[in-house]
Amino acid sequence: MNQESAAPAPVTWSTALSAILTPRGKKYQRAGWNGKGLYVQAHGSVRATDVELPDGVQPYIEPFFVIVNTLTGTVNIWVPSVTDLQAKDWVEYIPV
């Protein structure tokens, strides 16, 4: 019997967010995005090297979201738009 794997079912941002923030940090993209090879993931905290705080405290930037473009090899910070938050077309990013 020939079985083809089904495409992941689209989900809401809330569902995608829960999966993105798990310890294994899944990657998600919108089916409605025009750009191919784009996905969103959480990025852990990073050391803020150009910031000085009193008493030698080492500052860190809190965790944040990034959008990855696999076609250009670029990564940028990302904040979901109102449309992204209301969308129901989020799918897990699975590299081909």
Side-chain angles (χ1 to χ4, degrees):
M1 182 172 173
N2 184 10
Q3 290 183 334
E4 293 183 22
S5 61
V11 297
T12 64
W13 169 247
S14 177
T15 301
L17 179 61
S18 294
I20 290 169
L21 295 178
T22 61
R24 298 197 69 172
K26 295 194 176 196
K27 302 168 184 171
Y28 271 78
Q29 63 189 34
R30 296 242 349 250
W33 279 344
N34 290 329
K36 299 303 175 201
L38 299 174
Y39 66 82
V40 173
Q41 71 180 58
H43 191 291
S45 65
V46 292
R47 189 173 153 203
T49 58
D50 293 336
V51 177
E52 293 181 25
L53 293 177
D55 300 324
V57 173
Q58 178 60 59
Y60 282 84
I61 299 170
E62 295 291 331
F64 53 95
F65 295 113
V66 295
I67 188 164
V68 178
N69 185 328
T70 61
L71 302 179
T72 64
T74 57
V75 177
N76 287 292
I77 59 170
W78 180 81
V79 177
S81 68
V82 171
T83 303
D84 291 327
L85 294 172
Q86 295 175 344
K88 297 177 182 174
D89 66 346
W90 287 95
V91 291
E92 185 177 352
Y93 174 78
I94 301 170
V96 199

